Amino acid sequence: MRIMPVREWVGWAVALGLLVMPCVSAAQDVGPVAEPALQPPELIEYFEAPYPPGALAQELEAQVEAELELDERGAVVAVEITKSAGHGFDEAAALAMKQFKFAPAQRDGQAIPAIITYRYRFFLSKAVPVEAPPPADVEEGEPPQAPAVVGGDPEETDPLADVPDELHFESVVRGDRPTREVTRQTVTTEEITKIPGTSGDALRAVQNLPGMALADTMGGELMIRGSTHAESMFFFDSLNVPLLYHFGGFSSVINSDLIERIDYYPGNFSARYGRATGGVVDVRLRAPKQDRWHAYAEVDLWDVGLLAEGPLSENWSLTLSGRRSWIAEVLEGANAFGDLQLTVAPRYYDFQIIADYHPDKTDRLRLLFYGTDDRWEMTWDESGDPTWGSGLDLHIYTYRLQAEWDHRFTRCLTNQLTVGLGMWGATDVEGHKLYQDWDVVPLLIRDELSWDPKRFVVLRAGIDTEIRWGFVEMVVPGDIDMEGAGDLDSQYRREWFELDGTRFYFYPSAYAELELTAIPRTQILLGLRGDYASSIDRWGVDPRLAVRFELLPRTVLKGGIGLFHQVPAMQFVDEQYGNPELQLIRAVHGSAGLEQKLFDHIELSLEGFNKFVDNVLTRSSEMVERDGELVPERFANEGEGRSYGLEVQLRHNPTARFFGWLAYTLMRSERRDAPGGDWRLFDADQTHLLTAVASLNIGWGITAGLRFRLASGKPTTPIIGSAFDADEDEYDPIFGAVNTDRMPTFHQLDLRLEKIWQWDILALTVFADVQNVYNRKNPVGRIYNYDFTEQDHFYNLPIFPNLGLKLEH
């Protein structure tokens, strides 16, 4: 195990000290602590919502009630509809409220985040049109005099009320969405389904954010800030999930219409998350609609889906959703793999059932049952390597039941408990030899208690535990899943392992966070997390620190440093196949940056990041003594890694007409296989990443958008020759130095056009999502003939127009 040199720790400490110095200077002006005076936020800029055409035709009026989450600048960062009106009123009101601007809430004169209840009322009047007054002037029962005027006013209650049922102003963000991380990118509901090139798929939208490298074709993997997919963690409602995408990456495993938001943490995430050295993606699902029953059917070239949701009673609501693919026929017709002459038959389905119980404002219970099942059979010409035969058969499934209970004990004390139980498994048959069959039963428990006395401090503490039972049966080569494995010699490549049996792993953890806001315009977050891994009997303790300092009213400096540990994958610590004496993989994250609000809806962010990883897994040819017997070590913690770079994003937040962003990442990701060795490019390195996204509401129900992406090609290890092995009757490749070659640069333009027709009780949406508009042949890999004397590329999809429609009630 490598111990970080003292000079590196000193370097990190100096960098963080420079960041915190402005905070210390500000602290010198702080006088004696007095009793806090709370002042609720005040609406200073109001936006009128478009009246839903269908509701206007029926002369319907409505009132939508929502909770608005405001940041310390008075900007609306989240809208949650708490009392739905249907008929398009919810969507129209939410879109308008997200553009509101408030004078921020204050505690002792210091701006703080807040939550308020806001009622948005839609009125019809036959009087002569007049300009609508600001909503704060609209009194209950006195609608503005206009032919179709929108009005609304915040709930008028005592901000210091003690009774939870009457609490409509809160001086702290709710427990599931605090500002904890140095960097959090949030993809909103409006953006999720409108980004071109994603066919309206939520999780594919995440691939367009800063620091996100271009995913492999047909894989859907997310590579964050120079880390591989396996080094990051992914969550549905705070619980880890094994799979985000169906085979091919064409579609995510959950219906995008059920997603409230997606939070993306590229690094320096809080102590709430662990077991990862890369980044985090947390998907939060919305509650079912409560006004009436809604339903829709949708179909495009990928799949067909159905959804129904509505109230079961005054306190219960339910959502049912399901999808089934037919992409196999589409790909075969498009001959997507060109000269490879492969027969591809991917098939997937998924379903989600959400039940929401909300008896009062102190309790909420959510039940989520979801499942996904994928199968992909592939065949090719058998004239190549006889070991691998002529095909593969992949099958992956996940089923899980989750329960989430939120409870408010007092005004200051809240708790969130989430429990999940299910099954996931995978079967992989490749050619004549390779076979894998995993069946795992995971139990996941997360509980967080938050204490906020409204006096400059917030304390959160929680547990995050995973228990896994599983059965495994495998016949695999010794080089499976190893980064940089292209340089293996033939002897190691032909070493095969057979293993089977049951496995049990226990991963408990506990964490605590202290948030300090006593220094004016400054937030300091101290976190500590402890993780235990029974698979290798190791502990990891992770201290973390994040600082945000408001230099000017629209300018925020931010930075942080933290320690992160990750457990090696199960196959590497298996007693039969791997090394059960491995160490935890360890990473140090550091970053510093600037957030600048240029205009009301336009923000600029700039952030530099650095990550150092040690205890990285490498192959080992050493022999070690284990249980009194001399055995091969196979794997060791001899590697090191580093990733560093700069992210820039210019973002236009969603308004009624437009959203978009321009993001650029300059990055370097390297590894070396032994301390003191030469650094080489890592598999996840992509030097330049550029993404431009824009979506415009033209009017008349028409939305048009574009996405352009450019990325450096993925590093590859060249094959420089071959040698014939008479014993095996095959050619073995001779590899050059690891990752000394690179695929050509990727670039692609995608366009999206959408039209909505609204009638009394029905709405029809028709869209065309055209990927790779100018038909760029983007190479994503190389293939070779039997003796490695000839090579060719295989490519990303050619121009592909995905057409779809949705009929909604």
Side-chain angles (χ1 to χ4, degrees), residues 122-139:
F122 293 79
F123 297 103
L124 294 171
S125 173
K126 305 302 182 183
V128 176
V130 296
E131 183 179 355
D137 297 332
V138 178
E139 297 297 331

Side-chain angles (χ1 to χ4, degrees), residues 252-453:
S252 56
V253 298
I254 199 159
N255 189 334
S256 297
D257 288 323
L258 301 181
I259 295 177
E260 178 182 79
R261 70 177 189 272
I262 303 174
D263 290 334
Y264 163 56
Y265 308 101
N268 262 330
F269 41 88
S270 77
R272 188 171 192 262
Y273 302 104
R275 308 187 189 99
T277 56
V280 165
V281 175
D282 195 353
V283 179
R284 296 294 302 177
L285 304 182
R286 65 171 176 81
K289 295 181 180 179
Q290 305 170 32
D291 60 318
R292 61 173 178 85
W293 275 91
H294 301 254
Y296 72 68
E298 63 177 347
V299 60
D300 61 24
L301 295 184
W302 301 134
D303 51 43
V304 57
L306 300 170
L307 180 144
E309 62 179 331
L312 294 177
S313 66
E314 181 180 355
N315 298 324
W316 281 96
S317 55
L318 179 70
T319 295
L320 305 171
S321 175
R323 290 183 299 175
R324 176 66 161 83
S325 71
W326 58 8
I327 188 61
E329 293 76 12
V330 174
L331 284 181
E332 290 172 6
N335 189 23
F337 294 89
D339 296 336
L340 287 180
Q341 297 180 346
L342 302 180
T343 299
V344 184
R347 183 272 303 154
Y348 62 80
Y349 70 78
D350 61 62
F351 68 86
Q352 302 87 38
I353 303 174
I354 303 175
D356 202 66
Y357 177 59
H358 38 86
D360 51 47
K361 290 192 175 182
T362 63
D363 288 279
R364 184 187 66 83
L365 174 67
R366 172 179 295 177
L367 302 177
L368 166 64
F369 180 46
Y370 68 90
T372 176
D373 192 289
D374 292 48
R375 192 171 193 119
W376 192 349
E377 299 176 2
M378 182 182 295
T379 60
W380 57 81
D381 185 358
E382 195 172 358
S383 62
D385 187 341
T387 300
W388 295 101
S390 59
L392 62 86
D393 185 351
L394 302 176
H395 179 215
I396 299 177
Y397 71 89
T398 300
Y399 300 96
R400 180 181 294 176
L401 175 64
Q402 291 184 198
E404 180 180 281
W405 175 38
D406 295 322
H407 178 69
R408 182 188 296 275
F409 294 99
T410 68
R411 178 187 171 193
C412 300
L413 190 64
T414 59
N415 189 80
Q416 183 179 80
L417 171 66
T418 310
V419 179
L421 178 65
M423 289 188 64
W424 66 265
T427 302
D428 181 5
V429 181
E430 300 185 25
H432 304 309
K433 273 192 174 183
L434 188 145
Y435 176 81
Q436 296 187 72
D437 186 12
W438 289 85
D439 295 286
V440 180
V441 177
L443 172 63
L444 303 97
I445 304 172
R446 178 184 288 274
D447 187 69
E448 181 175 290
L449 187 67
S450 299
W451 179 67
D452 180 8

Side-chain angles (χ1 to χ4, degrees), residues 154-234:
E155 189 77 31
E156 296 180 0
T157 57
D158 179 6
L160 303 179
D162 293 325
V163 183
D165 286 349
E166 299 177 355
L167 188 61
H168 297 281
F169 162 68
E170 303 181 28
S171 59
V172 62
V173 177
R174 287 182 300 176
D176 65 342
R177 193 177 163 80
T179 304
R180 307 180 182 182
E181 280 71 15
V182 177
T183 299
R184 177 181 70 195
Q185 293 277 350
T186 297
V187 184
T188 64
T189 304
E190 290 79 17
E191 297 166 304
I192 280 173
T193 58
K194 303 293 185 183
I195 294 179
T198 65
S199 297
D201 189 270
L203 290 177
R204 293 179 68 196
V206 178
Q207 299 172 358
N208 302 285
L209 296 174
M212 188 72 72
L214 188 70
D216 288 340
T217 297
M218 314 303 289
E221 295 186 337
L222 300 180
M223 298 184 291
I224 303 172
R225 284 186 177 176
S227 300
T228 65
H229 183 87
E231 294 170 321
S232 298
M233 293 285 281
F234 311 97

